[in-house]
């Protein structure tokens, strides 16, 4: 270590002045030395944080000129093509931002691209947490906060998309209203309440604006702060390695190294967003034109994060609608209700509940700070891939008309393909992923027993050729050796006690279910028990 | 070759190979792919061709050779006993606008009557088409049924290959452009054009005129290349799955507003950036957001965490 040097006098003076009043030196020392594990996948959440900051800043800029009003005006701004066209003030003011405010179009594009990247980074961040088991105790609450942020981000995006009152906005709001109307009993009341009357009414933009710039961002900000504070308190998980245990963290201190990296990373995120915004056109509302209730167009989708809901609406069969025979008959529109609400509910519900389900199955109540390698939790990884496949198929189905046109496939055929894939895809994905995980586990055991294949071919005195296996590095050996065994407390309890009386837990329905789930979750795991590193017959020092 | 051999295990060698391969495919594809420089024929006269300029006898020869195998010699079409079209439908009452639309956009003569024909170059010369239409009007068409060719709406631009010398061509282009601009700028009610287009056309041809998918494997073609006259003819004749919008439903003045709206929109520059993503919209934007936006940022994350010193 280098010797401690004195800070410059001016700096010391300021430091002492602050410290005498707030006693920050100790807190600062502790937090500035905080250790961050060094791995790119721990930066994914930061992309989301930085995009959110970009969204806040660019959004504030836009509010200076945007008028959230549906009052009809006749456009006479500088965009010649639409002069003389009656439109809402919301649309006219967006045109004003585009063409009359300096840098306005660029800011709008930055806001939009940052939104797309924000939600995308939430997804990859969430997948990293899921596949490495970083949601396990003690981080379940932070996982739930993350799910809430994801859900709110989608709603926030949808409302923002609706504000300019251009053609796609109006169509998006119309679909939103359709899903609301499909709710039994309360649907029409909710719709009338939200729109202040019939669609589109004169209030919806003003109301969505309030939600978009005030309520939901405030909630998001609060949740992000909570997410971050909990993270700060609990620290990151870390990948397995030497000296990395549930009790010790290895990584880079917050100050200066990590702070520099993170600061630089913010500017890189901003650079990519700004670069896209400068060169790639997004949501050209001036080309779309204002929304009128009679306008409709093909080839238009919601932003990508709503794509899976659009897709589930598109492929869900309409033959399951039925009418409850009360009075004149009360229709239940399952073709909208199920894909519009039940399927997203299932996806997000399953995500939120998974940490608790897994904990219930395994009975694992210990705090876990070392991340799982995805292969070492084959059932969880396979379920995750099944989920991604389901989501991905729905997402693709949301663009079925564009796919149909681009690749010259019959539109109806795409619907049938996606229907089959939505069911078969996750199953196939589950099976393949699980097999891959188990294969990787076996290879790990092989490597641990025999060393890695060095690529060196050796001829033995007998004339036989062999490939020389070498011992892995101490780091890899440690990682391989420390593979946790998949167990469940449910399977450890005997079926009967020593007097032959059945275990009451194993007899009841929930107990039985838990036991069979525990069996399903752990049965294929490759055991590393009794494997002694490099004692197999292939390694060099053993001879052959 | 030694130079390459010495560097083939360089850490960047793989990337260089990938970039070269991509460049090769890109250039190769660009060289092989059909160019969209369509050889356009020339119909620019604002009036119908005078009877002296057309030869109906030649038109009959063309009709018998290229049309009659499906539409029959008298244009009555080919049908089975149940009255279903076998090869081609009855065209005696479709009108000359329909004939002009189908032939000038290269859809007729069809190579495969079972399938929807894409737009392509016209197979016959402009003169042959005029002769064919003269023969159709004279001998096939019943009582002038169907819509006439809207000669006052601008058709295709003149092609250099049709002119003897450069001056005549330039003059023709100027005349055409003046006529085109007069038609497009003659419309002054953007709101009406927009509402008509977005209410009647966009749900198949999309808001940008980029086309879209239809049911049963058919598609609504993109209308970027369509001339005002072709759009007009398509509306009055209702080709394929397209409904007919006669002059009684949408008046000629309204059609002018509509055509002006969509042509002006298509000519509009993309203010948002040099990459307009073909105006496909959200699907393309989402794709770029993931593949370029997020991927670049993640690549940066990998880069800044890859380098670490022992004690930083």
């Amino acid at each position: 270590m280098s010797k401690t040097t004195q800070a410059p006098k001016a700096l010391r003076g300021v430091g002492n002045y602050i410290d005498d009043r707030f006693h920050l030196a100790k807190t600062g020392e502790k937090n500035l030395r905080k250790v961050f594990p060094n791995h790119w996948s721990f930066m994914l959440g930061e992309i989301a944080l930085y995009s959110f900051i970009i969204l806040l800043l660019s959004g504030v800029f836009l509010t200076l000129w945007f008028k959230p009003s549906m009052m009809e005006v006749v456009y006479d701004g500088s965009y010649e093509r639409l002069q003389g066209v009656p439109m809402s003030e919301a649309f006219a003011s967006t045109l004003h931002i585009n063409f009359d405010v300096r840098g306005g179009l660029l800011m709008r594009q930055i806001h939009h691209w940052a939104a797309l990247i924000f939600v995308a980074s939430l997804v990859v961040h969430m997948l990293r947490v899921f596949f490495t088991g970083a949601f396990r105790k003690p981080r379940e609450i932070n996982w739930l906060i993350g799910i809430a942020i994801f859900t709110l981000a989608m709603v926030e995006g949808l409302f923002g998309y609706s504000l300019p009152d251009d053609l796609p906005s109006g169509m998006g709001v119309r679909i939103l209203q359709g899903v609301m109307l499909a709710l039994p009993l309360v649907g029409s009341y909710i719709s009338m309440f939200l729109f202040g009357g019939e669609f589109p009414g004169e209030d919806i933009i003003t109301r969505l604006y309030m939600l978009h710039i005030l309520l939901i961002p405030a909630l998001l900000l609060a949740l992000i702060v909570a997410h971050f504070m909990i993270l700060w308190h609990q620290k990151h998980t870390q990948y397995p390695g030497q000296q990395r245990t549930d009790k010790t963290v290895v990584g880079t201190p917050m100050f200066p190294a990590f702070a520099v990296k993170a600061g630089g990373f913010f500017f890189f995120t901003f650079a990519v967003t700004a670069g896209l915004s400068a060169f790639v056109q997004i949501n050209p509302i001036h080309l779309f034109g204002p929304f009128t209730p009679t306008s409709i167009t093909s080839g238009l989708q919601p932003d990508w994060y709503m794509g899976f809901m659009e897709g589930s609406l598109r492929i869900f069969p309409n033959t399951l609608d039925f009418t409850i025979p009360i009075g004149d008959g009360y229709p239940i529109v399952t073709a909208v209700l199920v894909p519009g609400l039940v399927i997203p509910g299932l996806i997000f519900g399953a995500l939120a509940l998974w940490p608790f389900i897994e904990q219930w199955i395994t009975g694992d109540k210990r705090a876990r700070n070392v991340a799982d390698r995805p292969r070492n939790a084959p059932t969880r990884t396979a379920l995750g891939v099944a989920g991604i496949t389901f989501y991905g198929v729905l997402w693709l189905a949301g663009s079925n008309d564009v796919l149909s046109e681009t690749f010259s496939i019959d539109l109806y055929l795409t619907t049938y393909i996606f229907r089959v894939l939505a069911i078969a895809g996750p199953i196939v994905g589950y099976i393949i992923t699980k097999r891959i995980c188990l294969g990787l586990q076996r290879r790990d055991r092989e490597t641990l027993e025999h060393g890695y294949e060095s690529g060196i071919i050796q001829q033995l005195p007998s004339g036989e050729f062999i490939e020389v296996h070498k011992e892995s590095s101490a780091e890899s050996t440690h990682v391989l050796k420390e593979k946790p065994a998949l167990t469940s407390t449910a399977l450890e309890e005997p079926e009967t006690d020593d007097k032959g009386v059945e275990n009451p837990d194993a007899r009841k329905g929930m107990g039985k279910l838990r036991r069979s789930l525990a069996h399903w979750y752990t049965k294929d795991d490759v055991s590393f028990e009794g494997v002694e590193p490099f004692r197999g017959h292939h390694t060099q020092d053993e001879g052959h | 070759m030694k130079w390459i051999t010495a560097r083939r295990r360089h850490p960047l060698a793989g990337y260089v190979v990938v970039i070269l391969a991509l460049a090769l495919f890109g250039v190769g594809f660009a060289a092989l792919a059909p160019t969209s420089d369509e050889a356009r024929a020339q119909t620019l006269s604002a009036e119908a061709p005078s009877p002296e300029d057309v030869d109906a006898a030649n038109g009959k020869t063309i009709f018998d050779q290229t049309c009659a195998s499906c539409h029959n010699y008298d244009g009555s079409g080919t049908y089975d006993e149940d009255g279903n079209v076998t090869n081609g439908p009855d065209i005696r009452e479709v009108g000359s606008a329909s004939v002009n639309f189908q032939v000038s956009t290269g859809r007729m003569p069809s190579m495969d009557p079972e399938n929807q024909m894409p737009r392509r170059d016209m197979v016959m010369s402009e003169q042959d088409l005029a002769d064919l239409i003269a023969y159709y009007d004279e001998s096939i068409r019943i009582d002038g049924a169907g819509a006439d060719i809207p000669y006052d709406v601008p058709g295709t631009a003149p092609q250099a290959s049709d002119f003897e010398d450069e001056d005549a061509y330039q003059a023709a282009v100027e005349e055409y452009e003046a006529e085109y601009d007069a038609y497009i700028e003659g419309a002054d009610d953007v709101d009406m054009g927009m509402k008509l287009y977005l209410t009647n056309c966009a749900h198949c041809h999309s808001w940008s005129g980029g086309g879209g998918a239809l049911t049963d494997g058919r598609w609504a073609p993109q209308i970027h290349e369509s001339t005002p006259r072709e759009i007009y003819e398509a509306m009055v004749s209702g080709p394929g799955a397209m409904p007919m919008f006669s002059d009684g439903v949408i008046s000629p003045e309204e059609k002018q507003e509509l055509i002006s709206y969509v042509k002006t929109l298509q000519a509009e520059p993309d203010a948002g950036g040099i990459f307009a993503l073909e105006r496909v919209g959200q699907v393309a934007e989402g794709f770029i957001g993931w593949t370029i936006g997020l991927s670049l940022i993640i690549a940066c994350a990998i880069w800044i965490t890859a380098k670490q010193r022992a004690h930083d």
Side-chain angles (χ1 to χ4, degrees):
Chain A
M1 285 299 289
S2 56
K3 60 178 176 43
T4 319
T5 47
Q6 279 263 328
K9 196 174 174 211
L11 215 58
R12 235 180 317 152
V14 177
N16 285 339
Y17 181 88
I18 295 171
D19 194 44
D20 286 348
R21 281 153 188 82
F22 301 108
H23 307 291
L24 280 176
K26 217 166 169 194
T27 329
E29 167 74 12
K30 185 174 161 228
N31 284 310
L32 290 178
R33 300 293 304 163
K34 194 142 193 125
V35 161
F36 282 81
N38 223 328
H39 192 273
W40 63 268
S41 68
F42 295 126
M43 310 288 277
L44 298 174
E46 278 176 44
I47 306 176
L49 178 69
Y50 300 151
S51 321
F52 187 71
I53 294 171
I54 297 171
L55 282 168
L56 284 183
L57 297 178
S58 55
V60 168
F61 180 90
L62 297 177
T63 55
L64 300 181
W65 291 278
F66 181 71
K67 297 198 184 85
S69 150
M70 294 181 84
M71 193 143 77
E72 190 173 271
V73 294
V74 174
Y75 181 70
D76 64 347
S78 56
Y79 185 59
E80 245 178 75
R81 195 174 67 90
L82 292 179
Q83 275 171 3
V85 173
M87 57 182 67
S88 67
E89 261 195 304
F91 188 80
S93 62
T94 315
L95 284 180
H96 178 75
I97 295 175
N98 266 8
F99 296 108
D100 299 298
V101 175
R102 194 171 294 267
L105 180 55
L106 181 67
M107 279 308 225
R108 280 198 54 241
Q109 302 212 109
I110 287 179
H111 196 65
H112 207 130
W113 279 117
L116 296 194
I117 290 173
F118 174 56
V119 192
S121 60
L122 287 181
V123 171
V124 288
H125 171 60
M126 186 189 73
L127 292 178
R128 194 276 294 169
V129 170
F130 181 84
F131 284 116
T132 60
F135 53 78
R136 292 173 299 172
K137 188 180 171 187
R139 298 184 175 77
E140 307 98 316
I141 305 299
N142 230 13
W143 169 262
L144 289 181
I145 292 177
I147 301 291
I149 291 174
F150 185 19
T151 322
L152 280 174
M154 282 172 42
V155 177
E156 174 75 349
L158 173 73
F159 288 172
Y161 184 79
S162 310
L163 286 183
D165 201 22
D166 57 323
L167 177 61
S169 294
M171 286 166 59
V173 175
R174 186 60 148 167
I175 293 176
L176 176 73
Q177 190 222 8
V179 174
M180 270 182 234
L181 285 179
L183 282 169
L185 288 178
V186 291
S188 47
Y189 293 95
I190 291 181
S191 170
M192 289 298 240
F193 175 70
L194 181 69
F195 287 87
E198 291 288 348
F199 175 87
E202 288 176 349
D203 298 329
I204 186 69
I205 299 279
T206 320
R207 291 175 182 185
L208 292 184
Y209 183 69
M210 181 280 291
L211 294 170
H212 181 77
I213 71 152
L214 185 69
L215 185 62
I216 301 179
L219 287 174
L220 273 175
L221 192 60
L223 287 171
I224 288 173
V225 169
H227 198 73
F228 208 72
M229 284 171 71
I230 294 176
L231 159 82
W232 198 266
H233 180 69
Q234 295 180 333
K235 300 168 199 70
H236 270 98
T237 52
Q238 55 186 341
Y239 289 108
Q242 282 176 314
Q243 297 156 22
R244 299 172 181 202
T245 67
D246 284 332
K247 298 214 176 348
T248 55
V249 185
V250 177
T252 314
M254 172 68 191
F255 190 85
F258 190 79
V260 170
K261 282 184 177 181
F265 194 44
F266 169 80
F267 287 110
F268 193 87
T269 308
F270 182 69
V272 170
T273 312
L276 276 177
S277 311
F279 294 110
V280 190
Q281 173 165 278
I282 188 167
N283 202 32
I285 58 111
H286 57 288
L287 299 177
F288 291 138
F291 177 70
T292 66
T294 58
S295 305
I296 189 83
T297 172
S298 67
L300 211 64
Q301 265 72 17
D303 275 340
W304 75 261
Y305 42 85
M306 302 301 288
F308 79 102
M309 290 173 77
E310 174 86 12
S312 68
L313 274 169
R314 287 187 184 200
I315 65 171
F316 198 80
N318 63 355
T319 44
L320 301 174
D321 295 354
F322 60 93
T323 304
I324 301 173
I326 315 171
D328 296 333
Y330 192 87
I332 303 294
V333 193
T334 53
V336 179
L337 200 56
V338 174
L341 291 168
V342 177
I343 287 179
L346 282 177
I347 292 176
F348 283 92
L351 277 175
L353 287 178
W354 177 252
F356 306 99
I357 296 173
E358 189 184 297
Q359 201 171 75
W360 180 66
I361 294 174
T362 61
D364 181 6
K365 299 267 191 266
R366 281 178 48 205
R368 298 285 183 179
N369 291 318
V370 176
D372 270 333
R373 301 172 81 206
R375 69 187 65 173
N376 289 342
T379 312
R380 180 207 296 148
T381 304
L383 278 178
V385 171
I388 292 177
T389 315
F390 184 61
Y391 183 93
V393 168
L394 293 185
W395 186 10
L396 277 176
S399 61
N400 69 347
D401 57 334
V402 174
L403 295 176
S404 163
E405 206 211 346
T406 310
F407 298 106
S408 303
I409 310 168
D410 186 341
L411 182 68
Y412 283 0
L413 185 64
T414 64
T415 305
Y416 293 116
I417 291 174
F418 285 128
R419 280 179 186 168
V420 172
L421 279 182
I423 295 166
I427 298 173
V428 174
Y430 176 87
I431 295 170
I432 292 177
T433 310
K434 190 154 179 193
R435 279 3 272 180
I436 291 175
C437 286
L438 296 174
L440 287 170
Q441 283 194 6
R442 290 206 185 88
R443 199 185 67 182
D444 283 354
R445 190 170 68 177
E446 173 86 13
T447 309
L448 190 60
E449 277 183 321
H450 303 302
Y452 71 94
E453 295 171 354
S454 65
I456 299 168
I457 306 293
Q458 200 176 40
Q459 190 177 24
L460 299 180
S462 62
E464 184 190 357
F465 286 97
I466 58 156
E467 181 175 14
V468 177
H469 286 236
K470 284 189 175 168
E471 286 190 17
S472 316
S473 68
E475 178 81 14
S476 315
T477 312
H478 176 87
V479 171
L480 294 177
K481 217 169 56 183
E482 294 301 304
K483 171 189 177 291
L486 264 188
T487 52
S488 165
T489 52
L491 299 175
E492 285 157 9
E493 298 160 10
E495 294 262 340
T496 55
D497 67 7
D498 51 357
K499 299 205 173 55
V501 179
E502 259 188 297
N503 184 342
D505 279 343
R507 224 170 50 202
K508 287 183 209 146
M510 286 308 269
K512 268 190 187 162
L513 178 66
R514 185 173 164 227
R515 272 166 179 263
S516 53
L517 283 175
H519 183 65
W520 161 76
Y521 191 74
T522 59
K523 64 179 172 186
D524 297 315
D525 193 44
V526 176
S527 172
F528 277 39
E529 210 176 311
V531 174
E532 292 217 17
F534 315 120
R535 285 285 158 263
H537 58 288
H538 277 310
T539 38
Q540 200 175 21
D541 48 325
E542 278 273 301
H544 188 77
Chain B
M1 289 315 278
K2 213 169 178 184
W3 189 85
I4 294 179
T5 315
R7 282 162 182 81
R8 71 183 200 278
R9 293 206 187 277
H10 191 273
L12 292 176
Y15 299 101
V16 171
V17 170
V18 168
I19 288 169
L20 285 179
L22 284 174
L24 180 73
F25 274 100
V27 174
F29 179 77
L32 292 176
T35 55
S36 59
D37 292 355
E38 65 286 348
R40 276 182 172 160
Q42 159 220 14
T43 38
L44 64 143
S45 50
E47 293 144 27
S50 62
E52 304 94 70
D53 294 342
V54 293
D55 178 6
N58 181 37
K60 178 174 166 49
T61 319
I62 295 167
F63 187 88
D64 291 351
Q65 279 171 0
T66 57
C67 314
S69 59
C70 297
H71 294 293
N72 219 338
Y73 288 98
D74 59 352
S76 60
T78 45
Y79 293 87
D80 62 13
E81 301 93 53
D82 304 328
N84 299 316
V85 176
T86 50
N87 284 329
D90 185 348
I91 57 167
R92 287 172 297 185
E93 292 179 359
V94 296
S96 52
S98 178
V99 178
N100 192 41
F101 174 82
Q102 297 283 357
V103 179
S104 68
T105 60
R107 290 184 167 85
M108 287 289 144
S110 164
M111 294 188 293
D112 180 5
E114 302 285 311
N115 283 318
Q116 185 180 345
M117 285 295 297
R119 183 189 180 91
R120 45 178 192 151
D121 296 340
M122 184 161 59
V123 296
M124 59 187 76
S125 73
E126 200 60 46
Q127 184 61 47
D128 284 349
L129 175 59
D131 295 345
L132 177 68
I133 285 167
Y135 171 69
Y136 173 81
D137 280 337
E138 205 175 278
S139 313
I140 307 279
R141 198 174 178 182
I142 297 175
D143 303 332
D148 290 321
I149 298 175
Y151 283 107
D152 53 341
V153 181
T156 34
Q159 283 305 110
S161 56
D162 295 332
F163 291 89
E164 299 277 311
D165 64 307
E166 185 65 21
D167 290 344
Y169 171 63
Q170 290 301 343
V173 168
E174 265 171 42
E175 189 193 339
Y176 172 79
E177 278 172 1
E179 192 193 342
Y180 186 92
D181 291 346
Y183 186 77
I184 297 298
E185 282 158 21
D188 55 3
D189 192 345
V190 187
D191 189 41
M192 181 202 275
M194 182 172 71
K195 286 208 172 98
L196 283 169
Y197 183 79
L198 290 179
T199 308
N200 298 301
C201 315
H203 46 58
C204 299
H205 293 286
S206 117
W207 65 273
S208 67
L214 294 179
T215 56
D216 295 331
R218 286 175 300 192
W219 74 94
Q222 53 96 347
I223 53 174
H224 295 304
E225 294 164 30
S226 308
T227 63
R229 185 181 294 172
E230 285 162 2
I231 297 176
Y232 196 109
E233 285 170 346
M235 281 195 279
V236 291
S237 66
M242 180 165 157
M244 192 193 291
F245 301 95
S246 70
D247 285 350
V249 178
I250 297 180
S251 71
E253 293 73 34
E254 288 171 332
K255 284 196 174 78
Q256 187 179 358
E257 296 287 355
L258 190 161
I259 292 168
S260 169
Y261 172 78
V262 69
K263 290 320 259 185
T264 312
L265 174 66
Q266 288 172 348
E268 188 69 17
D270 290 297
I274 49 175
F275 298 104
L277 310 180
E278 298 278 315
R279 296 190 182 170
V280 166
Q282 294 76 6
V283 174
E285 291 160 6
F287 184 76
I288 296 296
W290 275 86
T291 54
I292 294 185
L294 192 64
S295 304
L296 273 181
I297 300 173
I298 292 178
C300 172
I302 294 173
W303 176 52
I304 61 174
T305 49
K307 298 252 181 270
Q308 48 181 317
R309 288 174 290 148
H311 297 291
D312 62 2

